Amino acid sequence: MSRFVRASKYRHVYGHTGKKEFSIDNIKISNQAWDTNLAAASAEYLSVNWASAGGGAFAILPLPTPWGTAPHDLPYKLPDIIPLARGHTAPVLDTSWSPFNDSVVASGGEDGNILIWKVESHQFDGWATEHWQPIDFDPVQRFDASPRKIGQVLFHPTASHVLASATGEHIVKIWDLGNVDNGPRSILGGHTDTIQSLDFDPSGTLLVTTCRDRKIRLFDPRAGGDAVRTVEGHGGIKGARVVWMGDTGRIATTGFSKMSDRQLSIWDSGTLANIKTLSIDQSAGVTMPFWSDNGILFLAGKGDGNVRYYEYEADALHPLSEYKSSDPQRGMCFLPRRALNVAECEIARAFKITTTTSSGTIEPIAFVVPRKADSFQADIFPPAPSLEPSVDAAEFFASRKEIVRRVVDLNTGTTSASTGPLTLVPPTVPYTSDSLSAVTPITPSPLVPKSATLGSSTLSSSFTTSAPTPTSGGLAQATFSSSFKPTATQEYSVESDVCPQQRCGFL
């Protein structure tokens, strides 16, 4: 055995949960068998699929935090009756928050409808106080997206007003929310069974899906049609998930082997060639993968109490540690990185959904790099995707140019165009759209992103919202944590990287 330990800034990352009252209790989680994460998060709110009678509904809640009580004086234990987002005539299956407005969320359900909701902060005032009357949320837009169910919805990462939906017709539809009356702008086909998951690449020029027919497909969402790449995925038919590994030029999938072993696979995002496949264990729950631009892949299995995390480097996955708990999770989602508490060296935050026979709990888990320094740690906080879209929907569908992403500096809060990869781990092979010969050629150009916001383009008459307006000093009206204060930057050193036991004086 080697005497040397691989150097890593994240070797001692640990999960911090805070006090019990920092969680949210008495959650009525949906009992639908459809396989989704059950929750989604923006930088301000959390959506949770809810068990309700008389149609479908989901809850919208202020974000709990492991560093203190929830905002709006939200009680630790929710009242039995709370305001819900009602409007679907059948159970809600999935939700997705707009990356450009933390108050806008889309929902899809078994009724084949997609609804868009706009949350106002005053709707949480006075919860559970005397004489309080719950008032449900109302949608600002509704449209019929499929004659069958909507299994997944996902906002585009760089183009405003663009939404993808996976339907029971075994197709993915790409919508311009400002012009839904004319139908989807593109349709991605070729699936022969249920679509199990989908994800955009960081710029939104490619989309990948997993399917119950055991295949992984890569699409050009602007061109539509059949997949430009199709390969055999995991051998088992149980739930397979996919996540794009940032700018590394790799895609991660989780699934099952023919012998029902849980697996993790890494694929080349240009050719869909399999780089490696690892066997995780033999548990039965679907594994939910989550990627952080720190180069860390998180794996949370349904029915497991633990969360594993691995550091990716040069096509190798190095196990770091795992968060352990005796409470099994039914679902999970992660906070957008621009809302992390950088003062506490928090590199990721998960929201774990657990249930008992009568109710459930939402538990925030902060993944922290233990360091002695109090200043901003630039080496563990790359720029994060910002609230500003790079293009609007019309420009996205009309152009075949590369998209220049807008990013926010986590120290100062200022926004700029991204000229390089966000991921701190350099890609093994330079990744460009030229690697997809079957896709319409995409030539990089000095495209200057438009400073569009969610309310900047004309939407349908029922969808009128507004987003924070960027100023020369950054995202002045956006809501950030108190950690967004310009501070001195301290470079990484071995002395500043200690394990929790050393920090507490045990070693």
Side-chain angles (χ1 to χ4, degrees), residues 269-282:
S269 58
T271 64
L272 285 188
N274 182 255
I275 304 299
K276 64 171 51 183
T277 296
L278 306 175
S279 179
I280 302 174
D281 55 32
Q282 293 181 329

Side-chain angles (χ1 to χ4, degrees), residues 260-502:
S260 296
D261 293 336
R262 289 201 294 194
Q263 294 179 326
L264 167 64
S265 293
I266 306 297
W267 310 81
D268 182 90
S269 58
T271 64
L272 285 188
N274 182 255
I275 304 299
K276 64 171 51 183
T277 296
L278 306 175
S279 179
I280 302 174
D281 55 32
Q282 293 181 329
S283 297
V286 172
T287 303
M288 300 172 285
F290 303 94
W291 172 258
S292 167
D293 283 328
N294 300 83
I296 299 178
L297 180 66
F298 294 86
L299 300 180
K302 290 192 174 184
D304 298 352
N306 62 330
V307 179
R308 300 177 174 91
Y309 36 102
Y310 302 81
E311 185 175 8
Y312 172 82
E313 184 178 13
D315 285 337
L317 287 171
H318 304 281
L320 292 173
S321 182
E322 60 182 77
Y323 166 80
K324 295 182 179 180
S325 170
S326 59
D327 299 320
Q329 57 234 3
R330 280 198 59 196
M332 183 172 287
C333 63
F334 272 65
L335 182 72
R337 283 201 310 112
R338 56 184 164 81
L340 294 172
N341 189 341
V342 297
E344 298 288 346
C345 292
E346 180 188 34
I347 62 169
R349 186 186 304 173
F351 297 98
K352 175 180 175 179
I353 311 296
T354 62
T355 58
T356 61
T357 54
S358 59
S359 64
T361 301
I362 301 173
E363 180 183 31
I365 306 170
F367 292 94
V368 177
V369 177
R371 290 192 173 178
K372 296 177 180 178
D374 296 325
S375 56
F376 180 74
Q377 305 290 292
D379 62 312
I380 60 173
F381 289 110
S386 79
L387 277 169
E388 295 184 40
S390 300
V391 294
D392 58 24
E395 189 174 358
F396 171 73
F397 289 109
S399 174
R400 288 294 181 268
K401 297 178 181 179
E402 290 283 359
I403 297 177
V404 179
R405 289 173 292 167
R406 304 289 290 174
V407 297
V408 60
D409 185 285
L410 296 184
N411 183 31
T412 63
T414 56
T415 303
S416 62
S418 171
T419 57
L422 301 187
T423 305
L424 291 177
V425 178
T428 306
V429 179
Y431 170 57
T432 65
S433 56
D434 295 335
S435 60
L436 290 174
S437 57
V439 185
T440 303
I442 304 175
T443 305
S445 68
L447 175 65
V448 178
K450 294 179 63 178
S451 297
T453 60
L454 186 57
S456 62
S457 66
T458 304
L459 300 179
S460 62
S461 59
S462 60
F463 188 27
T464 55
T465 65
S466 60
T469 303
T471 65
S472 58
L475 303 179
Q477 299 185 30
T479 302
F480 295 104
S481 64
S482 59
S483 58
F484 273 84
K485 297 178 181 178
T487 56
T489 300
Q490 176 170 324
E491 298 298 331
Y492 170 71
S493 65
V494 175
E495 289 78 11
S496 68
D497 194 359
V498 297
C499 69
Q501 290 83 357
Q502 290 174 313

